[in-house]
Amino acid sequence: MRAIFAAVLTAAAAVAAPAFAQEAAGPAVPASAMPNDDTGGDFYVVGIGAAVLPDYEGSDDYGFTPVPAATGRVSGFNFLLAGNRASVDLIRDGVGPTWDFQAGPIAVVNLNRNTTKGIDDAQVRALGKVGTAIELGGYVGIGKTGVITSQFDRLSASISYRKDVAGGHGSTVLAPTVTYVTPLSLKAIAGIFVSGERVGEGYADNYFSITPSQSFASGLPVYNARGGWKNWTLGAIGGHSISGDLRSGWQLFGTVVYRKLLNDFAASPIVARNGSSNQWLGAVGVAYSF
């Protein structure tokens, strides 16, 4: 069971990462969601999917992108690599239906509007590029295996904090997340997650404000966005074993995510006039565990 828990949650974490590095499933390392028959040994999951994502954060135009992902456990430490984000859980897991405390580093490469080539909207393209942001920080969380439906389901909550160190937006991202995953049979598993993001002034200025010079170039009105709660997200995840056993081999995964932009972010002209505050994301793919 351990591999499909990891693969499905890896898919959820990866789905929004390539376009603008938002957190869909939260920073808690998904490999920590282990059933009670887990022996604590090392394992690995690698996957590839195709995701449909907005052209930019707040866009109502969509495109496709490949999503690579990997997760696993080495010497008791869980790791996640999903698209352009990576994290490590530095607290070793317990074995069986038990409480799991999580803490470790997280890194995200934020690619939102770092190029104009994939943006269909001519006015948003005219605003120009935003530098790539490298967001470094950490997360803490707590999870429990064996909660509601069986000894294998899992409920977890986490919160992460990241700071851009590359000058892309020069600001911070705070993201709380709650996730619930349960097996449906030996072949299938499903889950839901909810999260939110609070960002600093620099994030709001670089991605949602419009300066006088940008207004002249694009025809959009001047706008000054302030930092605060940027969005809330609700998503569903699922996986199905191709080989007939969730514990090893090939699996199919999928995820659907709805994100609602809030406050000054939803009111920005690039969203309210040229895009939409209702953001949809999705991915399907395959993963292999060993």
Side-chain angles (χ1 to χ4, degrees):
M1 300 290 287
R2 67 189 183 187
I4 192 62
F5 268 79
V8 171
L9 289 181
T10 297
V15 62
F20 42 81
Q22 304 305 298
E23 291 187 272
V29 179
S32 61
M34 300 300 156
N36 73 336
D37 64 350
D38 179 42
T39 61
D42 293 354
F43 75 95
Y44 308 90
V45 181
V46 293
I48 184 71
V52 57
L53 305 165
D55 288 355
Y56 61 88
E57 190 173 9
S59 176
D60 59 359
D61 297 313
Y62 289 78
F64 291 92
T65 186
V67 182
T71 188
R73 179 169 57 204
V74 179
S75 300
F77 298 106
N78 299 299
F79 69 90
L80 166 67
L81 175 64
N84 54 351
R85 78 204 309 277
S87 61
V88 179
D89 185 355
L90 297 179
I91 301 179
R92 285 188 171 93
D93 291 342
V95 177
T98 184
W99 290 98
D100 168 37
F101 296 96
Q102 307 147 14
I106 183 170
V108 174
V109 180
N110 192 323
L111 304 176
N112 185 26
R113 285 172 51 197
N114 74 328
T115 179
T116 59
K117 292 181 180 179
I119 298 177
D120 291 339
D121 190 290
Q123 288 186 301
V124 176
R125 283 202 311 270
L127 297 176
K129 299 186 292 185
V130 178
T132 299
I134 300 177
E135 300 167 359
L136 302 181
Y139 73 93
V140 294
I142 186 171
K144 178 69 168 63
T145 303
V147 182
I148 302 173
T149 61
S150 71
Q151 59 186 337
F152 302 116
D153 68 339
R154 179 174 177 80
L155 178 66
S156 61
S158 64
I159 187 167
S160 70
Y161 181 83
R162 310 190 306 268
K163 175 72 166 64
D164 172 34
V165 298
H169 59 75
S171 190
T172 59
V173 181
L174 177 72
T177 304
V178 177
T179 304
Y180 175 75
V181 179
T182 183
L184 304 177
S185 69
L186 289 177
K187 296 182 179 181
I189 195 168
I192 58 173
F193 55 89
V194 61
S195 65
E197 287 185 313
R198 183 179 179 89
V199 300
E201 295 290 337
Y203 193 107
D205 279 342
N206 281 274
Y207 298 124
F208 293 90
S209 291
I210 299 174
T211 66
S213 61
Q214 288 177 318
S215 176
F216 179 80
S218 67
L220 293 170
V222 174
Y223 184 76
N224 182 30
R226 297 166 297 179
W229 285 105
K230 178 171 65 71
N231 64 262
W232 61 265
T233 297
L234 177 66
I237 51 181
H240 190 277
S241 172
I242 299 174
S243 61
D245 191 334
L246 291 171
R247 293 170 292 185
S248 63
W250 290 96
Q251 302 106 22
L252 297 173
F253 64 77
T255 180
V256 177
V257 179
Y258 172 74
R259 174 168 294 136
K260 180 67 174 180
L261 293 174
L262 307 171
N263 303 320
D264 282 14
F265 309 96
S268 170
I270 71 169
V271 179
R273 288 183 46 161
N274 291 53
S276 174
S277 63
N278 300 298
Q279 302 279 279
W280 291 93
L281 310 93
V284 293
V286 295
Y288 184 78
S289 62
F290 57 97

